[in-house]
Amino acid sequence: MFKLFNNKRLFILLITLVMFIVLMGFSLGSRKSLTWPENFLRDTTGFVQSLFYKPAGYVAGLFQDIANLHDLAEENERLKLMVAQYTREKAQYNFIKSQNESLQKDLNFREAQKNLYDFELHIAQVISLTTEPSNNSIVLDLGSKDGIKPNMSVISTEGLVGVISQVSNFTSTVKLMTMMDVKDPNSQPAIAATVQDKEDNSFGMIESYDAQTGMLQMNKIPVGDPIAVGDTVISSGIGGMYPRGLTIGKVVDVKVGDYGYTSTATIDPLADFQDWKELFVVFTEERVE
């Protein structure tokens, strides 16, 4: 009986060895398709690998995304700093550019006036502006130490603004042309005026300002005066208060007086009387120390 059992064991061992040899033959041989045991083993192995690979890939991707988010946050902070710095530099550039353009405009204006007329212009910064009806004036940062004297004319690049009314060591007060009223002895003095390019044939006195219309009134214009709508009115220099050639405004209307002996013209002042940052004080030869 033991002999039979041993024979069976030997038989099973031989059968197993034969099957192993056959299987190895199939595996090592040139084949286009796999056997069903190989397919089963490969599919099972792939399935088990996928169970571990995908979660591991998700975890690795999560840590990579977190690292990318951190890098992105740092880059955003750098970009914000760069934008803030650019904004500051752009604002500074615009300010310097505007200031340079303003100074160049002032320089060109001064040179043009000096070439046309016998006076010099000194630039003054506006310190304050008072718009009270009874005291419409501005304060400049130039005073007696700078050679400023009462009754000096003050202009902008557009036109006549007013005259110096009070002077201290370091500042001066300008009485604006909008305070002009021939009936008020404390107002700005009347202006002897003429028409540009018609200086020898035109004359009148600018004596008042209408706050409601924003217009100046030019009176005492002789009959036959060639003044016309659209003309530019300038100071004539007669009387010595205002130098010759200061631009005042444009003629918008001319009417004959009640008795027909003189005419009256309405003048639109070219100076805007607001938002001034700097003005010019007119220095003539007799006023320069």
Side-chain angles (χ1 to χ4, degrees):
M1 183 174 180
F2 287 105
K3 186 178 180 180
L4 180 60
F5 179 75
N6 289 334
N7 289 336
K8 288 182 177 180
R9 290 179 61 184
L10 181 60
F11 178 75
I12 293 172
L13 181 60
L14 291 174
I15 293 298
T16 302
L17 181 60
V18 171
M19 292 181 64
F20 177 75
I21 293 172
V22 172
L23 183 61
M24 288 295 293
F26 277 107
S27 299
L28 296 175
S30 177
R31 293 175 293 119
K32 295 182 178 181
S33 61
L34 300 175
T35 61
W36 70 266
E38 289 176 323
N39 283 328
F40 176 76
L41 181 61
R42 177 168 293 185
D43 291 341
T44 303
T45 303
F47 176 73
V48 173
Q49 288 178 339
S50 66
L51 292 178
F52 291 95
Y53 177 77
K54 288 184 178 180
Y58 290 145
V59 172
L62 177 61
F63 283 108
Q64 184 64 39
D65 291 340
I66 293 174
N68 291 338
L69 286 175
H70 180 71
D71 294 340
L72 184 60
E74 290 183 348
E75 184 177 359
N76 285 339
E77 288 298 323
R78 290 194 297 269
L79 290 175
K80 288 179 181 179
L81 292 175
M82 292 176 63
V83 170
Q85 183 177 0
Y86 170 79
T87 303
R88 290 193 299 269
E89 292 178 352
K90 181 66 174 177
Q92 186 177 14
Y93 167 79
N94 289 338
F95 173 77
I96 295 174
K97 180 181 178 183
S98 176
Q99 193 174 40
N100 286 342
E101 290 175 351
S102 177
L103 291 174
Q104 186 62 51
K105 180 180 178 182
D106 292 344
L107 179 61
N108 294 339
F109 180 73
R110 289 178 63 183
E111 292 299 321
Q113 295 297 309
K114 186 175 181 180
N115 293 333
L116 286 173
Y117 306 106
D118 189 19
F119 55 73
E120 294 183 357
L121 302 180
H122 290 215
I123 299 177
Q125 302 299 317
V126 176
I127 297 175
S128 65
L129 169 64
T130 302
T131 57
E132 297 176 2
S134 60
N135 184 27
N136 202 338
S137 62
I138 58 177
V139 178
L140 305 179
D141 67 345
L142 297 184
S144 59
K145 68 177 182 60
D146 304 296
I148 305 298
K149 296 180 179 180
N151 295 327
M152 281 185 166
S153 299
V154 177
I155 65 174
S156 68
T157 55
E158 289 77 25
L160 181 62
V161 172
V163 295
I164 301 292
S165 60
Q166 295 178 344
V167 181
S168 65
N169 289 333
F170 302 99
T171 63
S172 56
T173 302
V174 181
K175 187 176 293 184
L176 299 180
M177 197 160 51
T178 54
M179 290 290 294
M180 182 177 296
D181 185 354
V182 69
K183 299 177 181 179
D184 183 3
N186 295 320
S187 71
Q188 179 181 336
I191 307 170
T194 185
V195 174
Q196 192 174 41
D197 299 327
K198 302 177 183 178
E199 289 88 341
D200 296 334
N201 301 312
S202 182
F203 176 80
M205 296 294 294
I206 297 179
E207 298 180 330
S208 61
Y209 174 82
D210 189 336
Q212 293 183 346
T213 62
M215 299 292 175
L216 295 165
Q217 198 74 20
M218 183 173 174
N219 302 321
K220 302 177 181 178
I221 304 173
V223 176
D225 191 295
I227 187 172
V229 174
D231 285 345
T232 299
V233 176
I234 61 175
S235 58
S236 67
I238 297 175
M241 175 67 72
Y242 301 91
R244 175 178 173 271
L246 301 181
T247 303
I248 298 171
K250 292 282 188 179
V251 179
V252 296
D253 184 41
V254 180
K255 293 182 179 179
V256 178
D258 294 337
Y259 299 101
Y261 297 110
T262 60
S263 297
T264 300
T266 302
I267 312 298
D268 184 13
L270 291 179
D272 55 12
F273 299 100
Q274 60 182 352
D275 297 332
W276 284 315
K277 294 181 177 62
E278 54 194 20
L279 295 171
F280 301 91
V281 181
V282 181
F283 279 65
T284 55
E285 286 187 359
E286 62 271 18
R287 293 186 180 275
V288 177
E289 294 182 352

